[in-house]
Amino acid sequence: MSTPQPQTTPRRYQLFIDGQFVDAESSKTFATPNPATGETFAEVAEADKADVDKAVAAARKAFEGKWSKMSARDRGRLLYKLSQLIERDAAQLAELETRDNGKPIKESTYIDLPGVVENFEYFAGWSTKIEGETIPVPGQMFNYTLREPVGVCGQIIPWNFPLLMAAWKLAPALAAGNTVVLKPAEQTPVTALELAKLIQEAGFPEGVVNIVTGYGETAGAALASHKDIDKIAFTGSTEVGKLIAKAAAENLTKVSLELGGKAPNVIFADADIDQAVNGAMMGIFFNQGQVCCAGSRIFVEEKVKDEFLGRFKEKAEKVKVGDPMDKATLMGPQVSAEQLNRIKSWSPQLDPQFQNGYFFQPTIFSDVDNKMRVAQEEIFGPVSSVITFKDDDELIQKANDTIYGLSAGIWTQNITRAHRFAKAIKAGVVWINTYNMMNAASPFGGYKQSGYGREMGKHALDLYTQVKSVWVDLSGKPIGWFGK
Ligand code: ADP
């Protein structure tokens, strides 16, 4: 493997509240390591309840003030400007993402950053297209709807695609006219705060976007339980998603959740096996396996099991694991020592040889039964379980035998079988002869315990708008029910 180079002095970051960069009220900071070396990459202000309160107050003031008075066109122009500034700085942002998260530079450059730009660009266009309806009610009445922003949105995001998740959350919320308090994951706070600089440069009114970096149990919990938040959006583990939903229930705050997964990636004997092997690799080893829609359960039709497994193993062994800043690296380190240890608990004998970074090798478990823990629990690492099946019915039954329902993949040349599977599988996204495809225009989200609500596409606007029904009497006559 290529060896990651030591770091320079740590970068320093403050919170972004009411348009200003400020220290935490407590003056506390926390360190975020570079996962490739274990060294401190940045020292970041640590928000807790007091800072969250300040940020929510700023977001409320902006929502009731300048932001609500701005035209939809001007909101859209700001979002578009932001997308252009991100594109201008994409190379630098990609490098910071890789140093903070550990993902290969090839990924942050060609997947994450283009996705960020695409999302802001796409939702910029929606600002001027959010419309109400007129309803054909009976009698001399005019009834119409207004589609209005929800208000102040708390958004809590994970560490696996730090800037991309910020974009998925911020872009639709802002397009619809909401203001936001965003809490990045403590493992990867850097690029969200870099984004704050561009938000400032683009000219968003102060308080429209506030970014509070800190820990989940403190800053995150303070946001989720805040009385003056109108909506909370969360992406992360199913376990924390349940805590968020409980906290939100106390104030009946609206909630959307994008949670864990244990996706089936299904290989039929009639598939193009080379393509299927590539698809299986993409499904489980992309982003070090730290993907909620990872194809972590690979279902293989019994008669091609040996052929598939042989090729899959051969390819997995060749994956270049190493310095994420090396353009040829396909897998970098896991995001944190904690994550690495969690993964190792599944496969302790595979302790990798690396020095201080949090590296783990691609791992395949064969002969797995779908009932085993390894096939039921989300590992969130480069660990796949290969499970065999004999026919379509058995496959559907096993594939759906999970608490999760985020995504699914199928590899077959038989179009009837492919669409039958797409209909029968209980998952929010289905990939046929491909995997991990996404676009800002296409909805993404889960069935079952993978969450509720759809991000991206026009469906994301449902999460960030509410409908008001307005009745107008056209008859000019008194109601008369209680007499004239
Ligand atoms: P992981 O277990 O993979 O680190 P989490 O679901 O814990 O993922 O984290 C996703 C996000 O949720 C992070 O921003 C984290 O800080 C936040 N978080 C964790 N615990 C809580 C909590 N109790 N309340 C609110 N946010 C939390």
Side-chain angles (χ1 to χ4, degrees), residues 114-399:
V116 174
V117 173
E118 178 190 282
N119 271 273
F120 281 112
E121 218 174 82
Y122 172 82
F123 282 104
W126 266 115
S127 294
T128 47
K129 294 160 198 73
I130 298 170
E131 298 170 340
E133 306 140 313
T134 56
I135 320 286
V137 290
Q140 292 275 63
M141 285 285 165
F142 172 39
N143 179 228
Y144 67 95
T145 62
L146 294 172
R147 194 165 267 274
E148 298 183 334
V150 176
V152 176
C153 301
Q155 302 183 319
I156 300 177
I157 55 172
W159 43 259
N160 55 346
F161 296 89
L163 197 54
L164 187 59
M165 290 301 102
W168 281 24
K169 293 277 181 287
L170 288 171
L174 298 174
N178 300 275
T179 59
V180 173
V181 178
L182 176 83
K183 195 203 83 65
E186 55 270 34
Q187 297 84 348
T188 54
V190 165
T191 47
L193 291 168
E194 290 289 338
L195 181 67
K197 295 179 191 169
L198 300 182
I199 286 169
Q200 225 179 17
E201 185 180 340
F204 280 82
E206 57 208 27
V208 169
V209 179
N210 304 273
I211 301 183
V212 288
T213 45
Y215 292 99
E217 299 74 19
T218 50
L223 193 54
S225 61
H226 206 289
K227 288 192 164 47
D228 202 28
I229 290 271
D230 299 299
K231 185 220 156 58
I232 187 102
F234 171 77
T235 297
S237 60
T238 292
E239 188 192 343
V240 174
K242 289 178 185 175
L243 295 178
I244 302 271
K246 278 186 199 151
E250 196 56 39
N251 306 313
L252 289 177
T253 309
K254 294 171 174 55
V255 188
S256 53
L257 302 170
E258 200 264 88
L259 308 174
K262 195 75 189 178
N265 194 2
V266 180
I267 295 150
F268 274 94
D270 65 14
D272 176 323
I273 294 292
D274 281 333
Q275 271 190 35
V277 169
N278 286 334
M281 299 282 298
M282 182 60 172
I284 189 62
F285 301 134
F286 175 68
N287 205 38
Q288 294 69 244
Q290 304 167 140
V291 186
C292 45
C293 53
S296 47
R297 289 184 299 152
I298 300 176
F299 286 94
V300 187
E301 193 171 345
E302 214 163 71
K303 52 190 168 200
V304 286
K305 180 195 162 196
D306 291 341
E307 185 190 357
F308 167 79
L309 208 53
R311 291 209 229 169
F312 184 41
K313 183 166 175 288
E314 192 185 325
K315 219 161 174 185
E317 280 166 355
K318 287 201 192 123
V319 170
K320 192 170 167 348
V321 181
D323 179 4
M325 284 305 294
D326 181 339
K327 287 190 180 117
T329 293
L330 289 175
M331 262 181 60
Q334 307 307 127
V335 74
S336 64
E338 188 190 353
Q339 277 302 119
L340 178 67
N341 289 334
R342 269 190 211 171
I343 298 164
K344 276 190 193 168
S345 73
W346 288 97
S347 179
Q349 74 278 19
L350 286 170
D351 207 347
Q353 73 276 32
F354 304 107
Q355 335 75 18
N356 298 321
Y358 314 137
F359 293 91
F360 196 81
Q361 295 285 359
T363 300
I364 302 167
F365 286 110
S366 56
D367 297 317
V368 173
D369 184 291
N370 192 58
K371 297 264 181 240
M372 290 179 182
R373 267 186 63 214
V374 74
Q376 290 291 324
E377 294 179 24
E378 188 177 40
I379 298 176
F380 226 63
V383 181
S384 60
S385 295
V386 177
I387 306 164
T388 53
F389 66 91
K390 287 200 185 67
D391 58 42
D392 296 57
D393 290 344
E394 182 194 356
L395 181 258
I396 288 292
Q397 186 275 323
K398 284 185 173 173

Side-chain angles (χ1 to χ4, degrees), residues 418-439:
H419 290 290
R420 210 166 43 219
F421 174 80
K423 189 155 186 215
I425 195 78
K426 292 187 169 61
V429 187
V430 180
W431 290 295
I432 298 173
N433 293 331
T434 184
Y435 208 88
N436 277 345
M437 286 307 296
M438 287 186 202
N439 185 274

Side-chain angles (χ1 to χ4, degrees), residues 16-20 58-59 61-63 66 203-210:
F16 184 60
I17 297 178
D18 208 10
Q20 309 294 323
K61 194 175 78 194
F63 180 71
K66 278 189 193 158
F204 280 82
E206 57 208 27
V208 169
V209 179
N210 304 273

